[in-house]
Structures are given as C-alpha cells and as structure tokens.
Amino acid sequence: MSNPLNLSAPAGEPSMDYSREFDFPVSDVFRAHTDPELFARWIGPQDLTTRIDVFEPRTGGAYRFVQCRGEDEYAFRGAFHALRQDDFVLQTFEFEGYPDVVTLEYSTFTELPGGRTLLTGRSLYPSVESRDEFLGNGMEEGMSSGYNQLDDLLASLPTEAPEGRE
C-alpha cells in the first residue's frame, strides 16, 4: 500500500502545501526527481506518457517536458533556481496551456528512520484563482498517481550502496 499524499490549500491564500512519505532512502527519492530518465517514468497520471525535451537539474538549469494521451499533448516548463543534493529543490513551474501562470515550488527531502523519506513541498501561485483552477483540473489526483508510480519505480530499482561500501 502506498503512503497517502497530504495536500493543504488554505482558503484565500495563493499557495498549496503537500507532504508524502516514501519507504525509500532520500538519495533514491531525490534522484528520481532529478534524473530525467527516472522522472519521465513516474511524473503525472498513469495514463500519460512523458517526453523530456530539456532537463538540466542544476542551479540555473531549465526543464521542459511534454505529457501525451493519444493525440493530446500537455507541455510544462520551468527553471531550477537552487538544488542541494538529497535535500532541497527550488524551481518554477508553468503549464504552457495556462501562460503567465508561473508557480514557485519548494521541495524538501528529509531522512526518516528506517531508510525512509519525507517529501514536503510548497507551491506559490500568482493568485488564489489560478491555484484553484489547477486543483479543479485534477492536480491532486495527478500528484497522487505520480507518487504511487514513483513508489513502484523505486521498488524496481537497485538501491545505491553508501559511499565506501560495496
């Protein structure tokens, strides 16, 4: 059973906070967020396929990916403003279908006992209305589906040995 996504969108505030636990080490969860091949395998709803056009997970880097369902395509882009290995990502996020609605997203990766991870995040929107529009278009379900796929992906990957051990 997957861990639940906890999402909070306070009334009257143009923000959203979320958290999700993973039964995998921080290094694996962080890698799945910053490795383009892994990212494409889990992001978004299960019925979408993802193509990565640009993915430069470094301070000052950019990204763009396109998700497809049949003939329909949904493109997303942004910039990485700060990355700290296995700890923190600060980036912008824009759905090209809603131009001029750019969010600022913070993600923190925290080690939990037993080799587990707590992912916490905050998204800041330009308005309450833009946040509510994303939520109304299934964002929470898409995030939950993506994180469930991330669980499955991480379970299928070999874990990296700690430095200095084979």
Side-chain angles (χ1 to χ4, degrees), residues 51 53-54 63-67 73-78 93-103 134:
R51 176 185 80 234
D53 290 341
V54 176
Y63 70 89
R64 183 176 191 269
F65 63 93
V66 179
Q67 296 189 307
E73 291 191 348
Y74 311 93
F76 304 87
R77 66 180 173 201
F93 175 86
E94 179 180 7
F95 171 45
E96 292 180 3
Y98 294 143
D100 303 326
V101 178
V102 178
T103 63
F134 273 92

Coordinates of all heavy atoms in Angstrom, one line a residue, residues 51 53-54 63-67 73-78 93-103 134:
R51 N 7.6 12.8 -22.4 CA 8.8 13.0 -23.2 C 9.5 14.2 -22.6 O 8.9 15.2 -22.3 CB 8.3 13.3 -24.6 CG 9.5 13.7 -25.6 CD 9.1 14.1 -26.9 NE 8.7 15.5 -26.9 CZ 7.5 16.0 -27.4 NH1 6.6 15.2 -27.8 NH2 7.3 17.3 -27.3
D53 N 12.1 17.1 -23.1 CA 12.7 17.9 -24.2 C 14.0 18.5 -23.6 O 15.0 18.5 -24.3 CB 11.8 19.0 -24.7 CG 10.6 18.5 -25.5 OD1 10.7 17.3 -26.0 OD2 9.6 19.2 -25.6
V54 N 14.0 19.1 -22.4 CA 15.2 19.7 -21.7 C 15.0 19.3 -20.3 O 14.0 19.4 -19.7 CB 15.1 21.2 -21.9 CG1 16.3 21.8 -21.1 CG2 15.2 21.6 -23.3
Y63 N 14.0 23.2 -17.6 CA 13.4 21.9 -18.0 C 12.2 22.2 -18.8 O 11.6 23.3 -18.8 CB 13.1 21.1 -16.8 CG 11.9 21.6 -15.9 CD1 10.6 21.3 -16.2 CD2 12.1 22.5 -14.9 CE1 9.5 21.7 -15.4 CE2 11.1 23.0 -14.1 CZ 9.8 22.6 -14.4 OH 8.8 23.1 -13.7
R64 N 11.8 21.2 -19.6 CA 10.6 21.2 -20.4 C 10.3 19.7 -20.6 O 11.1 19.0 -21.1 CB 10.7 21.9 -21.7 CG 9.3 22.0 -22.5 CD 9.4 22.8 -23.7 NE 8.1 23.0 -24.3 CZ 7.5 22.2 -25.2 NH1 8.1 21.2 -25.6 NH2 6.3 22.6 -25.7
F65 N 9.0 19.4 -20.3 CA 8.6 18.0 -20.7 C 7.2 18.1 -21.2 O 6.4 19.0 -20.9 CB 8.7 17.1 -19.5 CG 7.9 17.4 -18.3 CD1 6.6 16.9 -18.1 CD2 8.4 18.2 -17.3 CE1 5.8 17.2 -17.0 CE2 7.6 18.5 -16.1 CZ 6.3 18.0 -16.0
V66 N 6.8 17.1 -22.0 CA 5.5 17.0 -22.6 C 4.9 15.7 -22.2 O 5.5 14.6 -22.4 CB 5.6 17.1 -24.2 CG1 4.3 17.0 -24.8 CG2 6.3 18.4 -24.5
Q67 N 3.6 15.8 -21.8 CA 2.9 14.6 -21.4 C 1.8 14.3 -22.5 O 1.2 15.3 -23.0 CB 2.3 14.7 -20.1 CG 3.4 14.8 -19.0 CD 2.9 14.7 -17.6 OE1 2.0 15.4 -17.2 NE2 3.4 13.8 -16.8
E73 N -1.5 16.6 -26.2 CA -0.2 16.9 -25.5 C -0.3 18.0 -24.5 O -1.1 19.0 -24.8 CB 0.9 17.3 -26.6 CG 1.3 16.1 -27.5 CD 2.5 16.4 -28.3 OE1 2.9 17.6 -28.4 OE2 3.0 15.4 -28.9
Y74 N 0.4 17.9 -23.4 CA 0.4 18.9 -22.3 C 1.8 19.2 -22.0 O 2.6 18.3 -21.6 CB -0.3 18.4 -21.1 CG -1.7 17.8 -21.4 CD1 -1.8 16.4 -21.7 CD2 -2.8 18.6 -21.5 CE1 -3.1 15.9 -22.0 CE2 -4.1 18.0 -21.8 CZ -4.2 16.7 -22.1 OH -5.4 16.1 -22.4
A75 N 2.3 20.5 -22.3 CA 3.7 20.8 -22.1 C 3.9 21.6 -20.8 O 3.0 22.5 -20.5 CB 4.2 21.6 -23.3
F76 N 5.0 21.4 -20.1 CA 5.3 22.0 -18.9 C 6.8 22.5 -19.0 O 7.6 21.8 -19.6 CB 5.1 21.1 -17.7 CG 3.8 20.5 -17.6 CD1 3.5 19.3 -18.3 CD2 2.8 21.1 -16.8 CE1 2.2 18.8 -18.2 CE2 1.5 20.6 -16.7 CZ 1.2 19.4 -17.4
R77 N 7.1 23.6 -18.3 CA 8.5 24.1 -18.4 C 8.8 24.9 -17.1 O 7.8 25.3 -16.3 CB 8.7 25.0 -19.6 CG 7.9 26.3 -19.6 CD 8.2 27.1 -20.8 NE 7.2 28.2 -20.8 CZ 6.9 28.9 -21.9 NH1 7.5 28.5 -23.0 NH2 6.1 29.9 -21.8
G78 N 10.0 25.1 -16.9 CA 10.4 25.9 -15.7 C 11.9 26.0 -15.6 O 12.7 25.6 -16.5
F93 N 7.5 26.5 -12.2 CA 6.7 25.5 -12.9 C 5.6 26.3 -13.7 O 4.9 27.1 -13.1 CB 6.0 24.6 -11.9 CG 5.1 23.6 -12.5 CD1 5.5 22.4 -13.0 CD2 3.7 23.8 -12.6 CE1 4.7 21.5 -13.6 CE2 2.8 22.9 -13.2 CZ 3.3 21.7 -13.7
E94 N 5.5 25.9 -15.0 CA 4.5 26.6 -15.8 C 3.9 25.5 -16.7 O 4.6 24.8 -17.4 CB 5.1 27.7 -16.6 CG 4.1 28.4 -17.5 CD 4.8 29.5 -18.3 OE1 6.0 29.7 -18.3 OE2 4.0 30.2 -19.0
F95 N 2.5 25.4 -16.7 CA 1.8 24.6 -17.7 C 1.6 25.6 -18.9 O 1.0 26.6 -18.8 CB 0.5 24.2 -17.2 CG -0.4 23.5 -18.2 CD1 0.0 22.6 -19.1 CD2 -1.8 23.9 -18.2 CE1 -0.8 22.0 -20.0 CE2 -2.6 23.3 -19.1 CZ -2.2 22.3 -20.0
E96 N 2.1 25.2 -20.1 CA 2.1 26.0 -21.2 C 0.7 26.3 -21.7 O 0.4 27.3 -22.4 CB 2.9 25.5 -22.4 CG 4.4 25.5 -22.0 CD 5.3 24.9 -23.1 OE1 4.8 24.5 -24.2 OE2 6.6 24.9 -22.9
G97 N -0.3 25.5 -21.3 CA -1.7 25.8 -21.6 C -2.3 26.9 -20.8 O -3.4 27.4 -21.1
Y98 N -1.6 27.3 -19.7 CA -2.0 28.5 -18.9 C -0.9 29.5 -18.9 O -0.2 29.6 -17.8 CB -2.4 28.1 -17.5 CG -3.6 27.2 -17.3 CD1 -3.6 26.2 -16.3 CD2 -4.7 27.4 -18.1 CE1 -4.7 25.4 -16.2 CE2 -5.8 26.5 -17.9 CZ -5.8 25.5 -17.0 OH -6.9 24.7 -16.8
P99 N -0.6 30.2 -20.0 CA 0.5 31.1 -20.0 C 0.3 32.2 -18.9 O -0.8 32.6 -18.6 CB 0.5 31.7 -21.4 CG -0.9 31.4 -22.0 CD -1.4 30.2 -21.2
D100 N 1.5 32.6 -18.4 CA 1.5 33.7 -17.4 C 1.1 33.2 -16.0 O 1.0 34.0 -15.1 CB 0.7 34.9 -17.8 CG 1.2 35.5 -19.1 OD1 2.4 35.4 -19.4 OD2 0.3 36.0 -19.9
V101 N 0.9 31.9 -15.8 CA 0.6 31.4 -14.5 C 1.8 30.5 -14.1 O 1.9 29.3 -14.4 CB -0.7 30.6 -14.5 CG1 -0.9 30.0 -13.1 CG2 -1.9 31.4 -14.9
V102 N 2.8 31.2 -13.5 CA 4.0 30.5 -13.1 C 4.0 30.4 -11.6 O 3.8 31.3 -10.9 CB 5.3 31.4 -13.6 CG1 6.6 30.7 -13.1 CG2 5.3 31.6 -15.1
T103 N 4.3 29.2 -11.2 CA 4.4 28.9 -9.7 C 5.8 28.8 -9.3 O 6.7 28.4 -10.1 CB 3.6 27.7 -9.3 OG1 4.2 26.5 -9.9 CG2 2.2 27.7 -9.7
F134 N -6.0 25.0 -11.1 CA -5.1 23.8 -11.1 C -5.8 22.7 -10.3 O -5.8 21.5 -10.7 CB -3.7 24.1 -10.6 CG -2.8 24.6 -11.7 CD1 -2.7 25.9 -11.9 CD2 -2.1 23.7 -12.5 CE1 -1.8 26.4 -12.9 CE2 -1.2 24.2 -13.5 CZ -1.1 25.6 -13.7

